[in-house]
Amino acid sequence: MNYRRIVVKLGTGVLTDGTDGLSRPRMVDLVRQVAMLQAAGREVLVVSSGAVTAGRETLGFPRMGRDIPFKQVLAAVGQSRLMHLYAQLFDLYDITVAQALLTRADLADRQRYLNARNTLLALLARRVIPIVNENDVVGVEEIKIGDNDTLSALVANLVDADLLVMLTDIAGLYTADPHRVPEAQFIPVVNSIDDRIRQLAGTTSTRRGTGGMITKIQAAELATHGGATVVIAAGDVPDVLLRLVKGESIGTRFTPAVSQLESRKRWILAEEARGRVHVDHGAAQALVAQGKSLLPVGVTRVEGSFERGATVRICDPDGQEIARGISNYSAEDLAVIQGRRSAEIAGVLGYEYGAEVVHRNNLVVV
């Protein structure tokens, strides 16, 4: 299978392997698989639970309750320990890791969304593996409902992942909870997530962690609508990641609802355009006929007031809209760098957000 960019979500049940603390042997094995995927040319991001568990382990396994601030204390203590473990294990393969703590608010705000996307993509370009987690210290939703499942889907959409693998302590989706109903039937493929699938998920739980199967189905629905294939599988299957990427039928696979291109086009076209960027004939030809990005040298005029990350209309010399896309620069900045070469951006502005005004991945020819 041609999965180029992969998000791997590791649940608490997988990382503990049925114990009260983090299972080093299990983590070693998972890190080995991720390292092999990277060595094979894949780009991998890890969304990891386990901070609260690591905190409990560090503090001698204090008694747990429903006290959210106390869980946040455990997360604050455990997050650095969890990252230290990942850094040590990936270092065995000469792989550098980076910590990325996100909240819903980070991904709901356009500027912070773009900053997070640009950072993660820059890390991948440098062969650094991001370890992403919910920022439990300031965001309590993950602690209460297991939102790392949803976070993994948001990250998959954020970086245009081809595959999201959610590893848990259950083999996948069943017609009933297999822990309580031995005759429950396994469901290997789901082509459409409908009310029947949601109802089945509501009857199936995982043994550990803060989320159940329903949060995983919700995450799968979000990611498949972003164009990714999603697999829910047991983390204790030998070489599960390596075999899934090769196309083996393991766990429950959810097929994409749309292509990534269609998903991005819908999003861009649905956004309200905040301004107009006029381009010369050469730039118009490059955008329409050659599928190129828009560079500042091709910009002749800017209309409207908009911030970086806004959707803008791109118009040819006759004033006709030829494309729509997401601008990497504000109207104010763009007015300064219009007509200049990309290499001049940093010198003129004192900073830069990339060589392109609108990258081809964020542009729709209309």
Side-chain angles (χ1 to χ4, degrees):
M1 304 297 289
N2 189 26
Y3 298 126
R4 180 180 59 88
R5 186 171 295 157
I6 304 164
V7 175
V8 177
K9 190 267 180 177
L10 303 176
T12 300
V14 172
L15 295 175
T16 58
D17 195 20
T19 67
D20 290 330
L22 296 174
S23 169
R24 272 56 172 183
R26 171 60 58 76
M27 292 183 69
V28 167
D29 184 60
L30 292 168
V31 166
R32 174 187 62 84
Q33 293 181 59
V34 171
M36 291 182 69
L37 289 176
Q38 190 192 72
R42 320 279 184 172
E43 295 178 341
V44 187
L45 303 91
V46 176
V47 176
S48 178
S49 300
V52 171
T53 298
R56 288 193 69 226
E57 187 178 86
T58 303
L59 297 179
F61 298 101
R63 188 173 182 178
M64 292 291 288
R66 296 183 177 275
D67 185 357
I68 294 297
F70 180 59
K71 290 184 179 179
Q72 291 176 297
V73 167
L74 295 178
V77 171
Q79 186 60 45
S80 60
R81 183 176 180 85
L82 182 65
M83 279 304 303
H84 180 64
L85 273 172
Y86 277 123
Q88 285 184 313
L89 296 177
F90 276 106
D91 191 53
L92 296 173
Y93 299 92
D94 294 322
I95 295 175
T96 301
V97 298
Q99 176 177 257
L101 297 177
L102 299 173
T103 64
R104 284 179 180 269
D106 294 324
L107 301 179
D109 178 84
R110 175 56 66 83
Q111 292 293 319
R112 289 152 74 179
Y113 177 97
L114 282 175
N115 290 337
R117 174 183 168 85
N118 291 341
T119 299
L120 293 177
L121 293 180
L123 290 170
L124 293 176
R126 289 162 175 77
R127 308 297 288 168
V128 176
I129 293 182
I131 309 293
V132 186
N133 198 357
E134 176 91 8
N135 194 345
D136 294 342
V137 176
V138 298
V140 301
E141 289 176 289
E142 192 275 340
I143 294 175
K144 292 193 291 187
I145 63 172
D147 215 44
N148 264 358
D149 293 324
T150 301
L151 178 63
S152 69
L154 292 172
V155 170
N157 289 345
L158 180 68
V159 300
D160 301 321
D162 306 299
L163 174 66
L164 167 61
V165 180
M166 290 187 278
L167 295 183
T168 183
D169 55 11
I170 191 170
L173 181 64
Y174 287 80
T175 55
D177 190 341
H179 300 143
R180 295 179 296 197
V181 184
E183 62 271 19
Q185 298 295 307
F186 181 71
I187 303 174
V189 179
V190 174
N191 291 316
S192 176
I193 299 175
D194 52 22
D195 288 340
R196 182 183 69 88
I197 295 297
R198 297 186 192 95
Q199 186 175 14
L200 291 178
T203 65
T204 306
S205 63
T206 55
R207 297 176 185 177
R208 292 178 178 268
T210 49
M213 186 57 67
I214 187 62
T215 64
K216 291 169 179 57
I217 297 301
Q218 291 167 346
E221 188 167 15
L222 181 60
T224 55
H225 277 88
T229 297
V230 178
V231 176
I232 299 174
D236 60 359
V237 174
D239 288 335
V240 59
L241 295 176
L242 304 177
R243 293 163 63 188
L244 280 172
V245 169
K246 289 179 180 178
E248 285 194 39
S249 181
I250 302 173
T252 300
R253 179 170 58 90
F254 299 81
T255 58
V258 296
S259 69
Q260 287 184 345
L261 179 61
E262 183 181 359
S263 173
R264 181 163 288 275
K265 281 184 176 181
R266 286 180 179 179
W267 180 51
I268 292 173
L269 293 175
E271 284 283 312
E272 179 184 355
R274 301 291 181 177
R276 288 176 175 264
V277 177
H278 294 262
V279 301
D280 60 27
H281 180 73
Q285 284 291 103
L287 295 177
V288 176
Q290 302 173 37
K292 299 289 187 178
S293 299
L294 175 61
L295 304 180
V297 69
V299 177
T300 59
R301 184 160 57 95
V302 181
E303 287 184 29
S305 177
F306 53 86
E307 296 299 319
R308 172 174 174 259
T311 298
V312 296
R313 301 179 190 274
I314 301 171
C315 302
D316 66 13
D318 297 324
Q320 297 297 314
E321 181 182 6
I322 57 172
R324 198 173 303 180
I326 300 171
S327 177
N328 287 330
Y329 293 90
S330 67
E332 183 179 359
D333 286 346
L334 192 49
V336 176
I337 63 174
Q338 69 180 48
R340 295 181 178 269
R341 297 190 177 279
S342 298
E344 301 178 73
I345 295 176
V348 174
L349 294 178
Y351 52 85
E352 68 167 270
Y353 295 115
E356 307 87 1
V357 173
V358 179
H359 193 280
R360 63 178 179 272
N361 291 343
N362 295 324
L363 183 145
V364 180
V365 175
V366 297

